[in-house]
Amino acid sequence: MKYRIKNLGVFFAIALLAASCAGKAPVKTPEPTPQPIQPVVQPEPPKVVISQAELDDLLSQVQGLKKHAFDLKLYEVLADAYKGANDSYIEAKAAYDSKDAPAAKEKLGGSIGLFKDLIAKGVVELASMRRKDADDLRAASVKVGADVSMPDRFLPAEKAYAAGKTAVDAADHEAAIASFERARLLFELAWKRAQASSLKEKIATLDYSTWDSGNAATADLKYAEEDRLFAAAGGPETAASTTVDPAKFASGIDALDEALLRYNLVVQKGRTSIAVQKKQKTDEAKQRSETIKANVAAKEAYDAALSTYQAGVSALAAGDYEIASNRFEEAGVVFERAYEIAADKRAKAAAAMEAAATAADASRKKAQDADVQVGSESATSPEAAPAEPTDPAPATTGTGN
């Protein structure tokens, strides 16, 4: 009962309040003033801390790669790619020096990638190039017979070349580069020593050192020096080994280069001098034949000699010294023959003239002797004696009768 009375009281209170509100005008609720839109502020990302040690490590890596690419001379193999990687390093180093850590890290990382890519491509190309260099020098060595005459250098070169091929098959291109380079050096040693040996023998056989003893002696010293250097590097037993510094072979090549230069100077001087000497001797024979008028008395032989002589002069001017020497020697022989022909004709002519003169003298003497004898006989012959004079007959006188 009490519960109902309480509920009725609440009901009447609500009804009275509603009636009161119905009699009043509705109150308008003010509209809210629009507020400007505030930009949404994103929270800053947490700042990445880049340590100096990290940057130093990146710089060390890129500098090591850069040096390796330079030592491999990849600037000659992939010039554009090398320039691009190097330019990226310059930019990265500038960011590093300016203490711009984020930029330095980014650029150093990019530079490392470029140099790694450069080296990966470059070693493949470089191995191919070194192999071709070795192939070329091997062919040159075989051409001069070094595979037979210089086996102590040629055979180790073959071993090094085979090691290079094995490294290529294993995709170890840097090892291949080193092996092919060693093979190239040894093939070059074999090739140049074979040439120097041939020149040395030629000079001794033809006695060319007479004309240039100074260069001949120096060449011999350099030839011997290469042999000492090769022996010091371990000789043929260890030449193909990667433990031997290839710079020692390069020094030997330098020694042989000088030996070849000086041997060639000796040969050139000898060839020239011999050709000139033979020309001088032929000039003497030519002048000798002309003094006896062989160009007239032995015209056919003289003209043949002159033609050969002129061929020698042309060869000498062209630097064909052996040909010039041969032509001058041939011409000298024919000039001497022309001289002999002319001299023989002159001697025969002189003998004929002398015989004719002798005959004329004999005839004249005989005639003179005959005249003397005739005169003598005339003086002693009676018939020929003059008549003695006789007295004239007395003159007849007339008489006076």
Side-chain angles (χ1 to χ4, degrees):
M1 190 67 176
K2 287 179 182 180
Y3 175 77
R4 289 181 179 176
I5 293 170
K6 284 181 182 178
N7 284 340
L8 287 173
V10 173
F11 174 76
F12 285 120
I14 292 171
L16 288 172
L17 179 61
S20 173
C21 290
K24 293 181 182 179
V27 179
K28 293 183 178 179
T29 304
E31 294 182 1
T33 304
Q35 297 296 322
I37 299 173
Q38 296 295 328
V40 179
V41 178
Q42 297 291 339
E44 291 185 6
K47 199 168 186 179
V48 178
V49 178
I50 301 171
S51 69
Q52 186 62 40
E54 182 180 0
L55 293 178
D56 291 345
D57 180 62
L58 290 172
L59 181 64
S60 177
Q61 287 184 53
V62 73
Q63 287 178 335
L65 291 167
K66 180 178 182 296
K67 181 180 184 303
H68 189 44
F70 182 83
D71 291 343
L72 290 171
K73 297 183 179 180
L74 297 183
Y75 51 83
E76 295 178 351
V77 181
L78 298 171
D80 291 341
Y82 183 90
K83 183 179 184 305
N86 194 58
D87 290 345
S88 76
Y89 166 75
I90 293 170
E91 292 180 7
K93 184 65 166 58
Y96 173 89
D97 291 339
S98 67
K99 306 299 182 182
D100 185 351
K105 180 177 180 180
E106 179 185 356
K107 291 181 182 299
L108 286 169
S111 185
I112 288 171
L114 288 173
F115 272 114
K116 283 184 175 179
D117 186 56
L118 168 68
I119 292 170
K121 293 177 181 176
V123 292
V124 174
E125 184 67 22
L126 194 57
S128 177
M129 292 172 63
R130 291 291 175 268
R131 182 172 186 170
K132 184 180 184 307
D133 291 341
D135 285 337
D136 291 345
L137 280 165
R138 184 184 186 282
S141 298
V142 171
K143 187 174 182 179
V144 297
D147 53 329
V148 176
S149 64
M150 298 295 158
D152 53 347
R153 288 154 178 77
F154 189 87
L155 293 179
E158 292 274 67
K159 289 182 180 179
Y161 186 87
K165 290 172 63 177
T166 300
V168 168
D169 292 341
D172 188 354
H173 294 96
E174 293 204 36
I177 291 168
S179 292
F180 286 135
E181 178 63 11
R182 182 178 300 278
R184 181 191 70 80
L185 289 168
L186 288 166
F187 281 134
E188 188 168 1
L189 275 181
W191 174 48
K192 289 184 174 178
R193 189 164 181 87
Q195 291 180 89
S197 178
S198 178
L199 287 172
K200 181 177 172 65
E201 184 179 351
K202 181 177 184 178
I203 289 168
T205 301
L206 299 175
D207 199 24
Y208 282 159
S209 58
T210 301
W211 307 98
D212 193 350
S213 59
N215 275 321
T218 302
D220 286 342
L221 288 174
K222 289 297 177 179
Y223 183 81
E225 180 182 332
E226 186 275 333
D227 199 39
R228 287 195 301 273
L229 288 169
F230 186 71
E237 292 78 13
T238 60
S241 171
T242 57
T243 60
V244 180
D245 183 3
K248 293 183 178 180
F249 301 141
S251 297
I253 289 171
D254 290 341
L256 286 177
D257 282 339
E258 185 167 357
L260 283 168
L261 172 65
R262 292 180 181 273
Y263 278 141
N264 277 310
L265 288 173
V266 174
V267 170
Q268 181 77 355
K269 186 67 178 291
R271 293 169 66 213
T272 306
S273 300
I274 289 173
V276 170
Q277 184 185 56
K278 288 190 175 182
K279 180 180 182 299
Q280 291 172 345
K281 186 176 180 181
T282 303
D283 285 339
E284 293 172 2
K286 178 175 178 290
Q287 184 176 5
R288 186 163 172 256
S289 69
E290 290 170 351
T291 58
I292 203 171
K293 303 296 183 185
N295 53 323
V296 176
K299 181 172 174 38
E300 184 177 350
Y302 178 88
D303 287 347
L306 184 62
S307 177
T308 305
Y309 174 85
Q310 289 170 341
V313 171
S314 297
L316 182 63
D320 296 329
Y321 300 110
E322 281 76 14
I323 294 175
S325 295
N326 292 336
R327 295 298 171 270
F328 288 136
E329 194 167 2
E330 293 167 6
V333 171
V334 183
F335 276 130
E336 289 294 344
R337 187 182 307 140
Y339 174 86
E340 291 170 1
I341 292 171
D344 183 62
K345 286 185 177 181
R346 174 175 285 193
K348 287 179 179 178
M353 290 175 65
E354 185 177 357
T358 300
D361 288 344
S363 178
R364 189 166 47 253
K365 186 173 183 303
K366 186 175 181 180
Q368 289 174 349
D369 291 344
D371 289 344
V372 169
Q373 184 176 0
V374 168
S376 174
E377 289 176 353
S378 298
T380 57
S381 174
E383 292 81 2
E388 293 183 0
T390 55
D391 293 335
T396 301
T397 59
T399 63
N401 303 332

